[in-house]
Amino acid sequence: MEDRNTNVNAKITHHIAVYAFPFGSHGSPLLNIIRRLAALAPRNKVHFSFFSTPNSINTLFPKGSKFDVDCPNIKAYEVWDGKPVGYVSKGNPLEEIDLFLKAVARPGALKKVLEEAEENVGVKVSCVMGDAFLSYLLCDLALEVKVPWVSCWIPGEHSFCVHVYTDAIRQRFGTQGIEEGREEENLDFLPGLNKIRVKDIPDGIVTGNIDSPISQLLHKMSQVLPYASAICLSSCEELDPIVTNDLKSKLSNVFAVGPLSLVVAPSKVADTYNCLGWLDQQRPNSVVYVSFGSVATPTPNELFALAEALQASGLKFLWSMKDHLKVHFPNGFLESNKENGMIVPWAPQVDVLAHGAVGVFITHFGYHSIIESIAAEVPMIGRPFLGDHKLNGRLVEAVWKIGLKVEGGVFTKNKVVKSLDRILWCDEGKKMKETIKNLNNVVRKAIAPDGSSNKNFKLLLELVMKT
């Protein structure tokens, strides 16, 4: 049998295969990790083959191209998304995830595209990297082709930690439903999670459907991670050294290389709807920015209540939301708020949050949105929806103390107005501003040229190139 690491091409010495989980906000951060590694590596010696679905590739790479603009040593290859011919989306992302997972789990599916890249590059793959959501598949692939495997966790280290400890949490609380009152218990038996409650952890561990495809995928991840050659975290060590050090004691070569949205400068995006021009006309710290990412959407009743709250507050607001959702606004809301508010289908979030006019961010508590808010020093009001949102919200409110989770976890007019008052007009809000500024300074030190994140990137590249 031919050695997988035979150098067929005299120039390229290392060929890294990278597999993305092509849903939500997973693809872009993983590509940013690879871009950073590709920029640090000798371009004529290290090549990265990036595998994802056609739709994901079209989003991440220049239209019509499968090469990265800034890093020519990255090339994209298509993986089948599992959708049959004539498939029509029903708007259910879980269905599309299930189709994809079944497609990539077919015997030989991942190896086939790997071999296609090997033939194209002319060099055998020397290392497999990929989204931790695909760990159980990538572990098997790496074993089959006899190369090291690096698992990349895209959200925060706290959510990673609770998934790593899934079996321990299940042993403590069971999987048949939480006994009354126990949902308030803290995870104080896990290092660094003493303020996280059972009700804060993602569904699929001890609550919700533990047999769902995502739950099973993440449980399998927790079981195979000890076999990974390295773990790459998209956070930085300084955000919670207790959690990071505990992970280092349990797993091999844990490298915290983030926050990625700050380590890798985002591509400049066009301000299509002149959001920044509108913000230029507003007073400092006076605008409420509202956005729930690309997946989460409040219920019609909550959209109605949030609109009522913004109008009742009298505050200026910039709201990023799809046009078809406007039908859920109160009658006359759009007409009566032409001067007070701006509603756009999309906003350049990083630039918006960094604008001095923005005083508070109403969000879904997505991890990357939280990091962008910390970087801009803007306190948050959050309504968690799915995945790690509840856990992230608990961190924001009870651990870092840089924002509030809306009372009861759903938007009502009075609760939103109350939260806005607490942040914008009370001493509590002033303290949050000071705290988030200090937290931003911690993060900025981590991503400085001599900071821990850049050091870890170099260590990660060294490990990848040792193969």
Side-chain angles (χ1 to χ4, degrees):
M1 179 177 175
E2 183 184 7
D3 188 332
R4 306 287 305 179
N5 296 318
T6 300
N7 184 6
V8 184
N9 186 314
K11 292 181 65 179
I12 296 174
T13 58
H14 295 78
H15 181 188
I16 319 300
V18 185
Y19 290 86
F21 182 74
F23 299 97
S25 57
H26 281 247
S28 181
L30 179 63
L31 182 56
N32 281 340
I33 292 173
I34 304 310
R35 282 173 174 154
R36 179 68 174 149
L37 291 174
L40 289 171
R43 288 191 177 182
N44 63 334
K45 290 186 177 182
V46 184
H47 182 85
F48 296 86
S49 293
F50 189 89
F51 301 97
S52 196
T53 58
N55 184 59
S56 170
I57 290 171
N58 288 337
T59 302
L60 298 172
F61 287 78
K63 193 171 183 180
S65 172
K66 291 184 179 177
F67 285 96
D68 190 80
V69 173
D70 298 316
C71 301
N73 49 342
I74 299 175
K75 183 182 177 183
Y77 293 86
E78 292 183 358
V79 176
W80 186 40
D81 57 16
K83 296 175 184 175
V85 176
Y87 175 83
V88 178
S89 174
K90 299 173 184 175
N92 179 6
L94 292 179
E95 179 181 80
E96 297 188 20
I97 290 172
D98 193 33
L99 288 171
F100 169 75
L101 291 176
K102 287 177 179 175
V104 294
R106 288 177 305 123
L110 295 183
K111 188 180 178 184
K112 181 180 178 181
V113 292
L114 179 145
E115 290 172 342
E116 177 191 341
E118 287 181 331
E119 184 177 351
N120 185 269
V121 176
V123 178
K124 296 294 184 183
V125 162
S126 56
C127 180
V128 168
M129 295 183 67
D131 195 301
F133 274 45
L134 302 177
S135 289
Y136 72 103
L137 294 172
L138 299 184
C139 178
D140 288 345
L141 177 65
L143 285 170
E144 183 180 358
V145 300
K146 298 180 175 61
V147 299
W149 154 54
V150 178
S151 185
C152 303
W153 180 256
I154 300 304
E157 71 272 32
H158 296 84
S159 59
F160 183 66
C161 188
V162 295
H163 288 298
V164 167
Y165 281 107
T166 290
D167 287 332
I169 296 171
R170 287 180 175 178
Q171 187 175 2
R172 175 75 62 108
F173 299 104
T175 57
Q176 304 301 314
I178 301 299
E179 296 174 22
E180 188 175 348
R182 296 203 75 190
E183 68 275 1
E184 294 289 340
E185 287 187 31
N186 293 329
L187 304 184
D188 50 12
F189 60 100
L190 300 179
L193 300 182
N194 58 304
K195 289 189 178 180
I196 304 301
R197 304 161 299 186
V198 174
K199 68 179 185 181
D200 299 320
I201 62 178
D203 286 340
I205 296 178
V206 293
T207 59
N209 181 8
I210 67 168
D211 295 320
S212 71
I214 290 291
S215 177
Q216 291 185 30
L217 174 153
L218 290 168
H219 188 216
K220 289 176 184 176
M221 175 197 77
S222 71
Q223 295 172 323
V224 301
L225 281 172
Y227 301 103
S229 299
I231 308 292
C232 179
L233 301 177
S234 63
S235 183
C236 63
E237 296 178 357
E238 290 80 356
L239 271 178
D240 198 322
I242 294 176
V243 169
T244 307
N245 288 333
D246 178 61
L247 290 171
K248 286 182 177 181
S249 73
K250 300 289 189 299
L251 302 166
S252 300
N253 298 310
V254 175
F255 300 115
V257 298
L260 293 173
S261 55
L262 306 184
V263 170
V264 181
S267 302
K268 198 65 182 173
V269 292
D271 182 17
T272 309
Y273 301 99
N274 195 33
C275 299
L276 303 178
W278 183 81
L279 287 171
D280 286 340
Q281 301 171 34
Q282 315 308 323
R283 292 181 293 105
N285 296 310
S286 66
V287 174
V288 183
Y289 172 56
V290 186
S291 178
F292 302 106
S294 58
V295 177
T297 303
T299 63
N301 286 344
E302 289 184 83
L303 288 170
F304 186 95
L306 183 52
E308 280 191 315
L310 292 171
Q311 184 161 326
S313 73
L315 295 165
K316 297 292 182 75
F317 62 88
L318 171 60
W319 192 338
S320 174
M321 68 176 296
K322 303 301 181 188
D323 286 335
H324 72 274
L325 296 172
K326 293 177 182 178
V327 296
H328 303 303
F329 286 158
N331 289 334
F333 175 77
L334 294 173
E335 287 297 320
S336 58
N337 285 279
K338 279 185 176 179
E339 298 298 324
N340 237 28
M342 185 177 189
I343 302 172
V344 295
W346 179 86
Q349 181 160 296
V350 172
D351 293 331
V352 166
L353 286 170
H355 198 287
V358 175
V360 63
F361 178 21
I362 297 181
T363 175
H364 59 306
F365 284 142
Y367 180 72
H368 301 292
S369 288
I370 291 172
I371 292 298
E372 288 165 1
S373 207
I374 291 173
E377 300 178 8
V378 177
M380 289 155 273
I381 296 169
R383 193 287 198 204
F385 290 88
L386 47 84
D388 61 350
H389 296 175
K390 290 184 295 181
L391 177 57
N392 295 341
R394 181 66 174 171
L395 292 170
V396 165
E397 184 172 60
V399 179
W400 296 329
K401 299 182 179 178
I402 54 174
L404 302 169
K405 187 180 87 169
V406 68
E407 287 182 28
V410 295
F411 291 125
T412 68
K413 174 184 173 182
N414 291 338
K415 288 174 182 176
V416 173
V417 170
K418 181 180 177 181
S419 296
L420 288 168
D421 286 345
R422 287 172 65 185
I423 287 181
L424 292 173
W425 313 120
C426 299
D427 289 341
E428 183 180 11
K430 292 178 183 177
K431 192 168 184 180
M432 284 182 195
K433 287 284 284 185
E434 293 173 7
T435 303
I436 202 168
K437 182 175 182 178
N438 292 334
L439 198 58
N440 183 28
N441 289 336
V442 168
V443 171
R444 295 291 174 184
K445 287 180 182 177
I447 64 171
D450 61 345
S452 63
S453 294
N454 277 307
K455 289 178 181 176
N456 282 334
F457 255 120
K458 292 172 184 174
L459 290 170
L460 176 59
L461 180 63
E462 284 179 19
L463 184 141
V464 168
M465 291 188 66
K466 276 181 182 176
T467 55

